[in-house]
Amino acid sequence: SEMCIRDSGHSLGEYSALVSAGVLSFDDALVLVRERSRLMSEAGSKRPGAMAAVIGLSPADVADLCREASGAGVVQPANFNSPEQTVISGTREGVRAAAEAAKAKGAKRVLELPVSGAFHSPLMEETAAEFAPALARPAFSRPAVPVYTNVAAEAVLDPEAIRGMLTRQMTHPVRWVETIQSMVRDGVTTFFEVGPGKVLAGLVKRIERDAEVISCGSLADIEAVRA
């Protein structure tokens, strides 16, 4: 049977996936990542926010809690990481209110993340608008293999749609659970995590227990897999 090759990346990792799939050149991706990082750092200074990982509640419950806590301040799910881990993002007041509500609801843990800004939240709207001109410059090519974007959680093949989703990614959640489920539905059985650490490998196993996950955290690991 034909090998089913697909690409995806979590948040900043989406740029690596796009380079891997031939959508962006390596040089263009570096320029974009540098500008995105600069703008997000500035956003953290201009409009400080907070993020927290909620562990032990369903994604739907966390989304509900964010809606209920929004009277205290902006807060929404930022990363749907696994069926039991959802990261929330927003103003410090909003995140604090949602965190307290999550504890009252029976969350196992609520862990504040060491970040300066409220990434993947409406607090990034101005930053996303400032980033749009940089995103408009480079050529985006049709992907050589389907790329599942954070915003769609489905394969997106149109280069201009991918370009637009990179702007929206800054204010929208990373739908990682649905992304992995979509890839499995489309025939992916083995996942290779390229990059340091094994965080995504752990998340994939929690989403799809039967998946084979291979972590390639070093050049030696990558060479071993290629061999």
Side-chain angles (χ1 to χ4, degrees):
S1 64
E2 190 184 338
M3 191 179 288
C4 170
I5 299 173
R6 303 285 190 267
D7 258 342
S8 191
H10 188 291
S11 192
L12 186 61
E14 188 155 280
Y15 288 82
S16 302
L18 293 174
V19 172
S20 169
V23 176
L24 278 170
S25 73
F26 180 69
D27 287 356
D28 284 342
L30 282 183
V31 170
L32 288 177
V33 166
R34 181 178 182 276
E35 181 64 0
R36 180 182 184 271
S37 301
R38 184 184 71 78
L39 289 170
M40 288 173 90
S41 176
E42 274 184 14
S45 302
K46 283 192 287 191
R47 201 173 178 193
M51 298 178 76
V54 179
I55 298 157
L57 293 180
S58 73
D61 279 347
V62 175
D64 286 344
L65 291 172
C66 285
R67 274 190 291 274
E68 290 164 17
S70 61
V74 173
V75 60
Q76 74 170 32
N79 308 135
F80 290 105
N81 282 340
S82 79
E84 283 219 325
Q85 186 199 118
T86 303
V87 173
I88 60 175
S89 179
T91 61
R92 287 169 180 165
E93 297 78 13
V95 169
R96 196 175 298 124
E100 291 306 318
K103 289 173 190 168
K105 182 87 174 173
K108 289 177 190 169
R109 282 179 77 196
V110 179
L111 194 65
E112 192 165 335
L113 304 183
V115 295
S116 60
F119 307 133
H120 301 291
S121 88
L123 269 67
M124 288 287 135
E125 277 170 8
E126 189 181 316
T127 304
E130 290 171 351
F131 187 46
L135 268 174
R137 287 186 204 114
F140 276 62
S141 303
R142 192 172 171 84
V145 299
V147 177
Y148 292 65
T149 70
N150 293 176
V151 169
E154 291 285 352
V156 181
L157 297 174
D158 175 39
E160 292 312 310
I162 292 170
R163 191 194 302 266
M165 285 180 192
L166 286 177
T167 306
R168 290 175 62 204
Q169 188 219 57
M170 298 175 81
T171 55
H172 286 64
V174 175
R175 297 165 62 191
W176 195 246
V177 174
E178 292 170 276
T179 296
I180 300 305
Q181 289 168 342
S182 296
M183 294 174 88
V184 169
R185 177 203 66 206
D186 293 345
V188 175
T189 55
T190 304
F191 292 82
F192 295 89
E193 178 180 13
V194 181
K198 298 183 178 182
V199 171
L200 296 185
L203 296 181
V204 170
K205 290 299 281 185
R206 288 185 183 93
I207 298 163
E208 184 59 40
R209 239 177 294 176
D210 295 335
E212 181 185 7
V213 187
I214 298 163
S215 293
C216 303
S218 68
L219 186 57
D221 290 340
I222 294 169
E223 293 297 345
V225 166
R226 287 175 63 184

